[in-house]
């Protein structure tokens, strides 16, 4: 059992303890989580997946990610914005995704809102909430990693003010972690960015 500090994986490299439960997590942790993501469609995908994750474990979403991509037209905002009630019914029947009506409705509604924004606005809005990386030391244990920050609360409010749904402060912080706005890899983790 980990004390919340980095743990050696099968390859001997130290990693955040949550990353070692499955090979899927190791790959996601090492290659994607905490790496900068830019582009409106890419950020829409991450925002949507974080919303679907709410109340579930991330591995549930990660293992259905390709199903989500297929079901939601690759998370292309312009395409998802055109989804009809028939598309929503199709999604509710799709076993390759999480079939939650409120989250499906929110994803389509969010795409419709974002389709009205100028290109690059979602990227600019999200990244404008990235904290100065020099203001917070690298977390030593999982207990040092917050679930919500002032920046995630501000991002949540900004997204909601512009009409987006399912974007609470915890979801906003998970998005910030996943998309590299913050680096919450533990101090001794092999995937931590160089200072």
């Amino acid at each position: 059992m980990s004390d919340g500090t980095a743990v050696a994986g099968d390859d001997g490299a130290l990693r955040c303890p949550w990353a070692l439960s499955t090979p899927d997590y190791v790959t996601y942790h090492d290659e994607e989580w905490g790496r900068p993501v830019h582009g409106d469609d890419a950020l829409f995908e991450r925002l949507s997946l974080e919303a679907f994750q709410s109340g579930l474990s991330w591995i549930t979403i990660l293992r259905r990610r390709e199903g989500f991509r297929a079901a939601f037209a690759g998370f292309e905002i312009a395409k998802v914005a055109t989804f009809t009630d028939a598309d929503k019914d199709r999604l509710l029947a799709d076993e390759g995704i999480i079939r939650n009506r409120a989250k499906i409705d929110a994803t389509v509604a969010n795409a419709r809102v974002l389709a009205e924004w100028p290109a690059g606005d979602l990227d600019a809005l999200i990244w404008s909430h990235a904290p100065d990386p020099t203001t917070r030391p690298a977390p030593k244990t999982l207990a040092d990693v917050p679930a919500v920050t002032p920046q995630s609360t501000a991002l949540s409010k900004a997204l909601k003010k512009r009409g987006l749904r399912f974007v609470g402060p915890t979801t906003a912080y998970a998005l910030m972690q996943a998309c590299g706005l913050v680096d919450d890899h533990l101090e001794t983790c092999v995937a931590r960015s160089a200072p």
Side-chain angles (χ1 to χ4, degrees), residues 34-165:
R35 304 289 181 256
V37 174
H38 286 282
D40 291 347
D41 289 340
L43 288 165
F44 172 60
E45 174 185 355
R46 301 321 189 284
L47 184 63
S48 299
L49 293 177
E50 293 296 346
F52 272 98
Q53 185 271 328
S54 181
L56 302 170
S57 69
W58 179 246
I59 196 68
T60 302
I61 303 304
L62 192 59
R63 289 183 173 158
R64 288 183 167 92
R65 191 172 190 180
E66 290 310 314
F68 274 108
R69 286 176 171 163
F72 284 96
F75 288 98
E76 289 183 43
I77 294 167
K79 289 182 180 178
V80 178
T82 67
F83 279 17
T84 64
D85 287 343
D87 288 306
K88 291 179 188 179
D89 290 341
R90 170 185 57 81
L91 293 167
L92 283 168
D94 189 334
E95 294 181 5
I97 67 168
I98 304 302
R99 297 175 290 174
N100 178 298
R101 182 179 300 279
K103 293 176 183 181
I104 289 168
D105 288 345
T107 302
V108 174
N110 287 347
R112 290 177 181 158
V113 168
L114 293 171
E116 300 297 319
W117 293 14
D121 266 21
L122 179 61
D123 190 299
L125 176 64
I126 289 173
W127 278 91
S128 73
H129 290 82
D132 178 347
T134 64
T135 61
R136 193 171 108 207
K140 293 181 181 355
T141 72
L142 292 179
D144 298 330
V145 178
V148 174
T149 64
Q151 293 87 358
S152 74
T153 300
L155 174 57
S156 172
K157 286 179 182 177
L159 292 168
K160 287 178 181 178
K161 184 176 181 180
R162 296 209 42 198
L164 298 185
R165 297 166 32 190

